[in-house]
Amino acid sequence: MERREFLTSSSGATALALAAASGLVPAYAQNAPGWNKVAFDSKSFAEAAKTLGATSAPVESKELVLQAPEIAENGSVVRVGAQSSMANTTQIAFVVEKNPSALAALFDIPAGTDASVSTNIKMGQSSNVYALAKVGDKYFYAVKEVKVTLGGCGG
Amino acid sequence: MSDPMRIRAQAQGDKTTVRVLVSHEMESGQRKDAAGKTVPAWFIQTINATWNGKTVMSAQWGTAVSKNPFVQFSFKGGKAGDKIVVNWVDNHGDKRSDEALVA
Amino acid sequence: MKSSLYGPAALAALTALALFPLSAAAQKSTAEGIAEYRAMLADGNPAELYEAKGELIWKQARGPKNASLEKCDLGKGPGVVKGTFVELPRFFADTRRVQDLESRLLTCMEQLQGFNAADIAKTSFGTGEQKTIESLVAYISGESRGMSFNLPQAHAQEKLMYEVGKKVFYLRGGPYDFSCASCHGEDNKRVRLQDLPNLTKEPGASTGFGAWPAYRVSSGDLWSMQRRLNDCYRQQRFPFPGYASDATIALGVYMGVNSKGGASTAPALKR
């Protein structure tokens, strides 16, 4: 595991990590190599941005377009997409402010890949959804409120 | 044992668009079972795609990605017959790799 | 512009929705919002995962007789899959019965593969061989996607089952004095935000009947038509007539014949 993650983990997680390292707990307590646990533990958009490396508050940008429905018939599947027209966009993240873990997904954009991704995410309740883009060493965002509602009997 | 992914890759002009459906529970760790016990989180944490060996998509996912995940991305280049390989790793340490040819 | 998230299927769904009158003017923006939500999801339906699995299972040697289902006759001759879904339920000479897709699969699984059909009928949805059937119905219905319903009504049994299905559809009872028709017997009804298709005629019949089997977002599973009917009966507080029972098959004939000319969208994506 990374040293930074070790230092910032909560004591419980640290104990678990130590136990995992010594082979005392089964494999499912381990995280995949390269998975940023600290970022995924974030409880808000601001915290997610900070743990991903933003040194100042992200700036709202019209060059980052977030696609999300205004109303989600079911919070367990919500299609979100983000497109950045800013050159040198190297990461795009989706953050749901009111989810228990705010950061939903983080995409690296290798050179040659379009700064445009979409995926399906879960939302526990109505919330602001953010797209966060890393451009050089700066962070930009777009935001949209998605209302989660309940449908009827099942169509 | 996990089921195969569905990978569709379509080349158009100078661009290839890839859509991936993954068979996975993506258990959030927030849900309780019938007995009131929390169902432990079980979810894909990293996923990446390569085109003829070059990484064209690489992501980290949390518990909020939906069950049976979907992802769409596109990259410059690619032609019919090129190979796309997608790999994922979940928090149980389970892995899966599937491939498809660009259409 | 959100065009990049909308495939052709999604645009078709939006267009189709625009053709239906809305329940109330006040609901318009909400209904449009939900139409947008559904259209965004139309591309990338997880039902595709079940279709792929079902195709493998269809060809796989399984069961006590270690045989595949490739000789199963779904109505167009042994092994023919394409186009069968939009003509089911229909009469089968070998069993002397009108059968829907699932009861026919039970016949094939018993005769070709040596499974016990009665045991599978008793198995809970989403477990054991019922999981196999979920994948199979996804594959088989997917092979008729976009084709128009055209159930045969030439055989006397088929005509009889239509009339029985109609009776079952309008049969009122249970603690709520409910019938299928209470929700699905006229236009412009809804439950909360869900528009309810009128299953007694087109276009409602194929919109409703023609969408199942479907991937159910709320449970994250593929639901067969039998499972969908089971849930309708649960919501009516009726006992379920039984998996692959004649009553459920008759309902399928009634809804399927009413869908004539409408396109099948199964396996669709549902709330």
Side-chain angles (χ1 to χ4, degrees), chain A residues 31-32 36 108 113-114 119 122, chain B residues 26 45 56 58 60 64 70 74:
Chain A
N31 288 318
N36 188 342
D108 286 331
T113 292
D114 295 343
T119 189
K122 292 177 248 187
Chain B
M26 298 302 286
Q45 292 186 310
V56 285
S58 164
Q60 297 175 48
F70 169 80
S74 53

Side-chain angles (χ1 to χ4, degrees), chain C residues 94-170:
Chain C
D94 58 345
T95 54
R96 309 284 316 151
R97 278 180 75 199
V98 174
Q99 294 184 286
D100 68 352
L101 176 55
E102 285 163 85
S103 56
R104 189 62 188 169
L105 281 173
L106 288 185
T107 299
C108 288
M109 288 169 82
E110 184 160 277
Q111 290 180 353
L112 299 173
Q113 299 183 307
F115 285 106
N116 184 322
D119 283 350
I120 298 174
K122 277 183 279 186
T123 303
S124 300
F125 292 113
T127 65
E129 286 300 318
Q130 284 287 347
K131 278 197 93 65
T132 305
I133 290 181
E134 287 169 7
S135 296
L136 287 171
V137 297
Y139 161 58
I140 294 163
S141 62
E143 289 289 297
S144 295
R145 187 185 276 113
M147 296 172 76
S148 297
F149 282 102
N150 187 24
L151 272 64
Q153 278 282 283
H155 196 279
Q157 288 253 32
E158 290 166 346
K159 287 178 191 148
L160 176 66
M161 284 296 259
Y162 179 85
E163 293 305 324
V164 172
K166 191 174 184 177
K167 282 242 160 39
V168 173
F169 190 82
Y170 284 96

